[in-house]
């Protein structure tokens, strides 16, 4: 023990003063010379200390065998860590893994395809065989396969190799389907947490701040350890700044059909138009291009899953179709009106007379097919004039 810097405290007062551990009184650090230490009972200074202020060494300024504070911090950190297995290590599985690893969790993965190299780069241990994965006894299993393959993937997992209390989490973009599936397929000992992180590698490649994380605690055992484990898992997303939304799966699907499914549908329609940036982009047009960028990277399986496994999606698709048709009718109706007016005016037909209701529309359709409309109107002179005017309305930009 270095003798140069020694600290003393009056906090504890032992009944007897042992020479090897007891030193003169002081409440501050001070330099002590070895020959000033009270190893001899004949030392007057020592006697005075013994009589009035027996002391014990509380701390020294030399390096400690361990740093208490950092040990406590480490223990706390370890207690927050989970052993998490990701099943389905595709686009979204790898995206999630980055954050889990960064937060210090132990991450294992399994997928249909071989992702050994990708996993290694991310600090994840990859298992080709689901048995090997389950025998590692992860505390949490995240189901991250495509919506349409999840039932099959779950059936291939050797559940008997897992600990009985394992927490199953799904991140599927639809919620009622996996909830029913997990309740049906998993033994009652397993915990179930249904979640939907409402962002992905396209929409949130860097940060998740303020982005919604929807969850329903479908079945969490009531002992403290299980409750704490579920909270630790949710804390992963809280720590990233997500907006935590506890919501039942049925409500999620209702809202998601009106928002997410419509977003993906419109994004895919726009993608088909192959929109390109122009030198005169408006803000609105920029948003459309962003929408395409946000949705084009997602697989068609994901989009198909949103449609097939959310009972509200079909209705939304029909409403979208209806709205589009309605809008088109409004436009065509106006155009029809303009054409009729022109026809009547130029034909000199009085108010009492009229052409058939669908006359103008048929005329337009004929014109739209690429051929100039041919009219059977009173005179040849009028006919030529009408053909020219209709042609102008349809083909020339105003
Ligand atoms: P995805 O196309 O929905 O799913 C791809 C994953 O499914 C891959 O891991 C793939 O495994 C696996 N898979 C597909 N067919 C399979 C089959 N027949 N058997 C076994 N595994 C199969 O794309 P994703 O974006 O990665 O989404 C994964 C899950 O996360 C989905 O449930 C999705 O709804 C959800 N999610 C995605 C996002 C997002 O932004 N992308 C956001 C929130 C939630 P292999 O790669 O090994 O073939």
């Amino acid at each position: 023990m270095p003798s140069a810097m020694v600290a003393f405290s009056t906090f504890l007062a032992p009944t007897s003063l042992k020479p090897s551990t007891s030193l003169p009184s002081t409440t501050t650090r001070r330099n002590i010379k070895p020959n000033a230490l009270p190893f001899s009972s004949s030392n007057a200074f020592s006697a005075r200390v013994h009589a009035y202020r027996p002391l014990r060494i509380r701390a020294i300024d030399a390096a400690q065998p361990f740093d208490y504070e950092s040990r406590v911090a480490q223990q706390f950190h370890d207690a927050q860590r989970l052993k998490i297995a990701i099943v389905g290590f595709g686009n979204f599985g790898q995206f999630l893994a980055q954050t889990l690893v960064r937060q210090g969790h132990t991450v294992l993965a399994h997928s249909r395809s071989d992702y050994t190299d990708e996993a290694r780069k991310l600090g994840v241990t990859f298992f080709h065989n689901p048995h090997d994965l389950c025998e590692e006894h992860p505390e949490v299993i995240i189901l991250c396969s495509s919506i349409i393959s999840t039932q099959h993937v779950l059936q291939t997992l050797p559940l008997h190799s897992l600990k009985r209390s394992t927490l199953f989490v799904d991140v599927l973009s639809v919620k009622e389907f996996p909830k029913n599936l997990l309740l049906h397929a998993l033994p009652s000992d397993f915990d179930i947490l249904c979640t939907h992180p409402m962002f992905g590698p396209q929409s949130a490649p860097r940060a998740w701040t303020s982005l919604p994380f929807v969850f329903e605690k479908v079945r969490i055992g009531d002992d403290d350890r299980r409750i704490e484990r579920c909270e630790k898992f949710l804390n992963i997303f809280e720590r990233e700044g997500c907006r935590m939304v506890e919501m039942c799966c049925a409500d999620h699907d209702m809202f998601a059909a009106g928002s997410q499914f419509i977003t993906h549908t419109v994004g895919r329609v726009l993608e088909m138009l192959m929109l390109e940036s122009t030198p005169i982009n408006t803000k609105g047009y920029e948003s459309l291009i962003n929408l395409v960028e946000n949705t084009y990277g997602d697989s068609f399986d994901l989009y198909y899953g949103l449609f097939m496994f959310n009972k509200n999606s079909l209705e939304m698709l029909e409403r979208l179709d209806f709205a589009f048709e309605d809008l088109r009718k409004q436009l065509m109706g106006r155009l029809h009106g303009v054409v009729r007016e022109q026809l009547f005016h130029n034909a000199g037909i009085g108010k009492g007379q009229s052409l058939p209701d669908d006359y103008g529309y048929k005329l337009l359709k004929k014109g739209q097919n690429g051929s100039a409309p041919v009219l059977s109107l009173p005179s040849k002179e009028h006919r030529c004039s009408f053909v020219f005017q209709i042609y102008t309305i349809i083909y020339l930009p105003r």
Side-chain angles (χ1 to χ4, degrees):
M1 178 194 306
S3 59
M5 294 289 289
V6 185
F8 306 98
S9 163
T10 53
F11 192 67
L12 284 179
T15 47
S16 67
L17 189 68
K18 292 201 174 76
S20 59
T21 57
S22 304
L23 288 165
S25 168
T26 179
T27 53
T28 56
R29 291 166 188 205
R30 85 164 47 151
N31 290 331
I32 304 287
K33 292 188 178 128
N35 59 6
L37 294 175
F39 291 118
S40 159
S41 59
S42 61
N43 184 315
F45 180 57
S46 169
R48 210 170 57 244
V49 167
H50 191 263
Y52 303 110
R53 303 171 94 171
L55 297 173
R56 176 186 287 178
I57 296 174
R58 301 296 300 157
I60 59 173
D61 241 2
Q64 298 292 300
F66 59 82
D67 178 346
Y68 183 71
E69 275 180 18
S70 69
R71 262 173 61 121
V72 169
Q74 187 62 42
Q75 277 169 4
F76 177 76
H77 184 253
D78 290 349
Q80 297 307 306
R81 266 173 32 176
L82 287 166
K83 190 173 186 180
I84 302 172
I86 298 177
V87 176
F89 204 55
N91 195 17
F92 196 67
Q94 292 178 36
F95 170 71
L96 271 186
Q98 288 172 26
T99 300
L100 301 181
V101 170
R102 178 167 47 74
Q103 287 195 10
H105 301 286
T106 304
V107 184
L108 322 172
H110 162 71
S111 206
R112 174 180 62 169
S113 312
D114 181 6
Y115 289 110
T116 308
D117 291 341
E118 290 82 354
R120 192 183 307 112
K121 283 179 202 149
L122 291 171
V124 172
T125 313
F126 188 81
F127 295 86
H128 297 277
N129 191 313
H131 288 264
D132 293 338
L133 178 92
C134 292
E135 282 162 16
E136 291 289 319
H137 292 164
E139 297 165 271
V140 181
I141 294 214
I142 306 182
L143 286 177
C144 208
S145 47
S146 65
I147 300 168
I148 55 176
S149 70
T150 298
Q151 183 164 13
H152 164 73
V153 168
L154 191 60
Q155 281 164 356
T156 60
L157 285 182
L159 301 179
H160 57 272
S161 300
L162 292 166
K163 279 190 180 171
R164 269 188 302 134
S165 68
T166 308
L167 168 64
F168 266 79
V169 179
D170 89 279
V171 292
L172 272 56
S173 307
V174 294
K175 292 275 52 80
E176 267 199 284
F177 163 68
K179 176 180 174 176
N180 294 333
L181 176 69
L182 293 175
L183 279 172
H184 181 74
L186 295 180
S188 58
D189 287 316
F190 286 38
D191 287 351
I192 302 171
L193 176 68
C194 286
T195 77
H196 183 196
M198 302 204 65
F199 46 86
Q202 266 77 39
S203 57
R206 278 171 289 280
W208 304 350
T209 319
S210 305
L211 299 174
F213 180 88
V214 180
F215 65 97
E216 181 183 349
K217 294 174 186 171
V218 174
R219 187 173 70 202
I220 306 295
D222 54 11
D223 76 80
D224 290 347
R225 204 181 50 80
R226 287 179 178 219
I227 294 169
E228 196 184 319
R229 180 179 58 187
C230 178
E231 293 308 321
K232 269 190 226 170
F233 183 81
L234 291 173
N235 189 250
I236 293 169
F237 298 89
E238 273 178 44
R239 279 177 64 182
E240 296 300 314
C242 289
R243 185 160 57 83
M244 307 300 284
V245 185
E246 189 161 9
M247 177 185 284
C248 75
C249 292
D251 283 355
H252 166 277
D253 283 3
M254 188 186 65
F255 289 127
S259 57
Q260 192 190 22
F261 178 66
I262 288 292
T263 307
H264 277 254
T265 303
V266 174
R268 282 184 179 275
V269 169
L270 293 175
E271 191 192 348
M272 287 173 175
L273 295 181
M274 293 187 282
L275 302 182
E276 280 180 5
S277 188
T278 74
I280 51 166
N281 285 357
T282 59
K283 291 270 179 211
Y285 188 66
E286 295 274 353
S287 316
L288 293 187
I289 291 178
N290 286 341
L291 176 60
V292 175
E293 281 170 6
N294 275 347
T295 47
Y296 87 99
D298 290 328
S299 69
F300 193 81
D301 274 1
L302 198 160
Y303 178 59
Y304 179 60
L306 294 179
F307 174 69
M308 279 299 284
F309 291 84
N310 184 342
K311 65 182 183 201
N312 308 290
S313 294
L314 179 60
E315 188 196 327
M316 284 314 297
L317 192 64
E318 279 174 351
R319 285 177 60 189
L320 189 69
D321 204 22
F322 182 78
F324 187 73
E325 187 57 25
D326 195 45
L327 208 56
R328 206 179 65 83
K329 275 185 181 158
Q330 283 185 43
L331 291 175
M332 295 309 284
R334 285 208 178 187
L335 185 56
H336 186 182
V338 173
V339 172
R340 276 177 72 101
E341 210 169 280
Q342 297 273 342
L343 288 171
F344 277 52
H345 177 75
N346 291 319
I349 298 172
K351 283 192 177 166
Q353 300 167 286
S354 69
L355 292 168
D357 268 354
D358 62 347
Y359 186 84
Y361 182 65
K362 279 184 183 158
L363 186 71
L364 286 174
K365 284 200 83 165
K366 221 171 174 187
Q368 283 170 337
N369 289 340
S371 59
V374 179
L375 309 172
S376 55
L377 288 164
S379 76
K380 196 178 174 188
E381 189 192 342
H382 279 139
R383 192 158 70 224
C384 294
S385 161
F386 295 159
V387 171
F388 176 71
Q389 286 186 34
I390 297 298
Y391 195 88
T392 311
I393 290 167
I394 297 169
Y395 293 106
L396 297 184
R398 305 214 134 203

